[in-house]
Amino acid sequence: ESSRPFSKRISEREEIKRVIPLLKVLRKKFKKTAISVDTYKYNVAKAATDEGADIINDITALRASTKMASLIKKYKLGCVLMHMKGKPSNMQVNPKYKDVMLEELNFFKERLGYCEKKGIDSSRILIDPGIGFGKRVQDNLRIINELYKLKVFGLPIFLGLSRKSFIGKILNVGQKERLVGTVTAGTISIMRGADILRVHDVARSFQALKITSKITEN
């Protein structure tokens, strides 16, 4: 199911139909590679787990299904918790924050407390500040610049900013022309504290980060 702004929900049956055949092919070809499935629906996550998925990336941070936490605990899955204001169908309708970083910190504190109560080991959790999910351009920029503040939780920071609309708005370019902006934002994000980037242009992003690591010796 697409989670782009103004996207619409699809049924669990349709999502399973889209995800599982591809997952079977990937799992067969890449036996040792960790595979993450992006879903907030329990039955989709369970079907994906049965086919060898390792990580559940839940844009609702386990709020959509009361059973998702038990699935993650039972099968010792990795889990990405993402911050989102609203839902994809309305999240970009005039989002506002008094202090976006304070809201992020309070949100993750609450969600991590929930995971602890549900018996999910913190070593299996990644946090995602949700770039573009109910955020204005200035919110996205501040989050990237202050990613280090999320290090207070001692967990890996997972970031998806590849080709996002805030890059297009700043540069006034379409999605196909956002490579330079994406690589630049990704490089700065790593320097500010991100641990994992979700990208479309894997090879070019890797090259940029390799040069960055050599220069900074980090």
Side-chain angles (χ1 to χ4, degrees):
E1 178 178 293
S2 173
S3 56
R4 292 191 299 270
F6 309 109
S7 59
K8 297 181 180 180
R9 293 189 60 172
I10 62 174
S11 67
E12 286 189 330
R13 178 180 295 182
E14 175 62 23
E15 191 168 333
I16 288 171
K17 181 180 177 182
R18 294 181 185 184
V19 172
I20 300 305
L22 178 59
L23 177 56
K24 288 181 178 180
V25 174
L26 290 172
R27 185 76 287 168
K28 183 177 181 180
K29 186 170 183 178
F30 301 101
K31 292 181 171 55
K32 295 183 179 181
T33 301
I35 296 178
S36 172
V37 172
D38 186 342
T39 188
Y40 58 85
K41 301 185 179 84
Y42 172 80
N43 288 327
V44 179
K46 179 61 169 62
T49 301
D50 291 341
E51 295 298 336
D54 305 286
I55 303 166
I56 300 299
N57 185 351
D58 186 342
I59 63 171
T60 73
L62 310 186
R63 293 176 292 171
S65 171
T66 57
K67 298 189 292 183
M68 193 71 86
S70 61
L71 179 75
I72 291 167
K73 177 185 177 183
K74 180 177 180 180
Y75 292 96
K76 297 182 179 180
L77 302 172
C79 174
V80 180
L81 303 176
M82 193 190 80
H83 175 275
M84 174 173 59
K85 183 184 282 289
K87 51 188 177 181
S89 61
N90 63 19
M91 63 188 181
Q92 288 305 111
V93 180
N94 197 30
K96 292 182 179 179
Y97 296 86
K98 288 184 178 180
D99 186 324
V100 66
M101 289 310 296
L102 181 60
E103 181 165 322
E104 294 251 348
L105 289 165
N106 288 336
F107 174 82
F108 286 120
K109 181 179 179 181
E110 186 276 327
R111 285 289 83 195
L112 291 170
Y114 171 83
C115 289
E116 184 178 6
K117 290 179 182 178
K118 293 295 182 178
I120 299 175
D121 194 295
S122 62
S123 66
R124 299 187 174 278
I125 300 174
L126 302 91
I127 58 175
D128 179 353
I131 297 296
F133 284 81
K135 313 291 193 304
R136 299 165 297 181
V137 171
Q138 62 263 40
D139 299 322
N140 293 318
L141 297 179
R142 184 179 173 196
I143 290 168
I144 292 170
N145 202 36
E146 298 182 13
L147 280 174
Y148 62 90
K149 291 184 177 180
L150 297 178
K151 288 293 185 180
V152 67
F153 300 110
L155 298 174
I157 298 174
F158 179 101
L159 208 64
L161 48 71
S162 183
R163 304 182 188 177
K164 288 286 177 78
S165 62
F166 83 95
I167 296 172
K169 288 177 181 178
I170 293 171
L171 300 178
N172 193 28
V173 295
Q175 201 172 73
K176 294 181 180 180
E177 300 175 89
R178 297 176 188 172
L179 174 62
V180 174
T182 291
V183 171
T184 303
T187 300
I188 293 173
S189 297
I190 290 293
M191 295 177 71
R192 290 292 191 271
D195 298 283
I196 299 173
L197 298 179
R198 181 177 67 82
V199 300
H200 298 88
D201 306 286
V202 178
R204 291 173 180 177
S205 297
F206 175 78
Q207 289 174 356
L209 295 177
K210 188 173 183 178
I211 293 297
T212 302
S213 70
K214 287 293 184 181
I215 292 172
T216 61
E217 295 184 352
N218 184 7

